[in-house]
Amino acid sequence: MPAPITVELEERSHHIFIGEKVLENIELLIKKNVHEITSCVLVTSSSIFDLYGTSILEHLSELKIEKILVPDGEAAKSWNVVEALLGDYIEKGLDRKSVVIALGGGSVGDTAGFTASIYLRGIRYIQIPTTLLGQVDSAIGGKTAINHSKGKNLIGSFYQPTLIICDTSVLKTLPLRELRSGLAEVIKYGVISDPDLITLLENKGSFILKADKKLMTQIVKKCVLIKAKLVEEDEKDSKGKRAILNYGHTLGHVIETLSNHEINHGEAISIGMLAASKISENLGYLKYNDFERQENLLKSLGLPIKLPKLNYNELISVMKRDKKTEAGSINFILPTGIGKTPIIKPVPEDTILKVLEL
Ligand code: GLY
């Protein structure tokens, strides 16, 4: 079994196990890390259950465990799904020592985590992310959220899981578009913190796009280490340290919302990262070479970089509703180089308009 990465947060500390086929050890991992369980629910979507559910239930046959299916993708992140899940928990008699196991992509993890945080004022949950996006970002750090029709992730909680299991062999079955979406987040980590990660992506792109297991394990570990450290320093995203993880998200969330999620998360933040870089370059914080290097990498991995046609007024008003907005000014995470800590600055509307040629 690989040594875990630990997120040190006093009584909320927990381990993250990353590696090929770590799910085969799920029974042992739960036994060692999650104690005194009365019952469990496995929250997942039918497509993910078809791939991994039966084997997981077999491995966990000693636990009292029932499955609950939620929709795939962003459709899971709604009040209706939360209400239905909570009803199921009540009907199944989940108590304070029960555990929710979230198996799936970021949306399943976010919704299941959110329900665990509010059911009986909080019960334990385990994250088993099955997408690259989930393994490098959304399952790590305890942010849970659902969407409101007026904006993405506006309703949620900070609530740490008890255990996270990232099996990198499951990434082989990801559709290419989904894998690319996760790679956008990986590029984010490289730009804000790890120049070697950018070099690795530049040199090994073709193997990475085939979800080579060894490379994926290396990549997921690098990203999780960066995130775990930032979460330890700024769990509640209130000190300006964790906020750099939102690089590309200021505009990215708006693009996702205004496209009704037809542009997926990774695609939207790919466009958002390049737009933020353009603003940063324009304001003199980022060298053109570094802007261009990032543009080339995003393009070589098949990620979109062009802003879709958006209504400017709508864009600004959705951006102002986002959590990254404070006292009405729109904060951007502006990169200062490849692998260098970015700066966070309010950017005036007219600069956004001019630089992005809106
Ligand atoms: N995805 C950004 C964060 O977890 O803070």
Side-chain angles (χ1 to χ4, degrees), residues 137 143 227 242 245-246:
D137 191 40
K143 275 188 183 176
K227 180 148 188 183
R242 183 170 179 165
L245 291 168
N246 289 327

Side-chain angles (χ1 to χ4, degrees), residues 28-61:
L28 187 65
L29 290 176
I30 293 182
K31 224 176 222 156
K32 283 197 162 167
N33 295 285
V34 194
H35 304 125
E36 294 184 48
I37 302 176
T38 48
S39 61
C40 286
V41 283
L42 178 71
V43 178
T44 188
S45 68
S46 67
S47 60
I48 299 295
F49 186 81
D50 288 348
L51 288 168
Y52 314 112
T54 313
S55 143
I56 286 180
L57 289 184
E58 272 167 22
H59 277 104
L60 298 180
S61 56

Side-chain angles (χ1 to χ4, degrees), residues 306-333:
K306 272 207 159 60
L307 265 181
K309 279 222 165 335
L310 295 170
N311 175 304
Y312 176 71
N313 290 329
E314 230 177 353
L315 179 122
I316 295 291
S317 80
V318 176
M319 209 144 38
K320 282 189 170 163
R321 281 204 297 263
D322 199 78
K323 298 184 292 327
K324 286 166 277 304
T325 302
E326 268 172 53
S329 70
I330 299 168
N331 279 333
F332 271 81
I333 320 296

Side-chain angles (χ1 to χ4, degrees), residues 137-138 140-141 143 185 188 227 231 237 242-243 245-246 249:
D137 191 40
S138 60
I140 319 293
K143 275 188 183 176
E185 292 282 1
K188 172 190 86 177
K227 180 148 188 183
V231 170
D237 207 355
R242 183 170 179 165
L245 291 168
N246 289 327
H249 290 56

Side-chain angles (χ1 to χ4, degrees), residues 42-256:
L42 178 71
V43 178
T44 188
S45 68
S46 67
S47 60
I48 299 295
F49 186 81
D50 288 348
L51 288 168
Y52 314 112
T54 313
S55 143
I56 286 180
L57 289 184
E58 272 167 22
H59 277 104
L60 298 180
S61 56
E62 277 182 23
L63 285 176
K64 187 171 171 275
I65 178 162
E66 290 193 59
K67 78 166 180 206
I68 306 177
L69 297 180
V70 294
D72 268 314
E74 290 291 321
K77 295 181 53 159
S78 73
W79 275 119
N80 291 349
V81 174
V82 167
E83 160 82 14
L85 275 174
L86 295 173
D88 283 339
Y89 298 174
I90 295 166
E91 266 173 27
K92 292 182 194 308
L94 265 58
D95 62 30
R96 310 274 335 244
K97 289 189 170 173
S98 298
V99 174
V100 173
I101 303 176
L103 171 73
S107 302
V108 170
D110 265 7
T111 305
F114 180 56
T115 59
S117 77
I118 56 176
Y119 180 72
L120 302 183
R121 299 199 178 87
I123 62 172
R124 293 167 296 176
Y125 75 112
I126 297 170
Q127 285 277 23
I128 308 180
T130 56
T131 60
L132 182 58
L133 190 74
Q135 296 192 356
V136 297
D137 191 40
S138 60
I140 319 293
K143 275 188 183 176
T144 80
I146 57 168
N147 300 330
H148 192 277
S149 59
K150 295 189 189 301
K152 190 176 157 68
N153 288 345
L154 292 180
I155 296 137
S157 56
F158 286 97
Y159 194 67
Q160 298 296 339
T162 308
L163 171 68
I164 306 174
I165 304 172
C166 301
D167 188 331
T168 49
S169 37
V170 308
L171 303 176
K172 267 268 176 233
T173 59
L174 275 186
L176 186 56
R177 186 173 175 204
E178 195 51 61
L179 184 73
R180 284 185 164 130
S181 177
L183 286 174
E185 292 282 1
V186 175
I187 294 172
K188 172 190 86 177
Y189 285 105
V191 174
I192 65 171
S193 178
D194 187 348
D196 295 343
L197 183 52
I198 293 294
T199 309
L200 181 74
L201 294 167
E202 286 169 337
N203 293 339
K204 301 272 183 218
S206 55
F207 301 100
I208 289 166
L209 286 170
K210 289 192 187 112
D212 176 275
K213 287 182 213 149
K214 280 207 166 50
L215 280 169
M216 283 299 153
T217 302
Q218 196 184 346
I219 286 171
V220 174
K221 280 187 180 161
K222 273 176 172 287
C223 297
V224 168
L225 273 170
I226 297 168
K227 180 148 188 183
K229 190 164 168 290
L230 291 168
V231 170
E232 285 170 357
E233 287 172 350
D234 185 11
E235 184 187 9
K236 298 271 168 79
D237 207 355
S238 58
K239 301 177 189 161
K241 293 200 181 260
R242 183 170 179 165
I244 63 170
L245 291 168
N246 289 327
Y247 169 47
H249 290 56
T250 310
L251 202 62
H253 276 177
V254 181
I255 295 171
E256 271 185 281

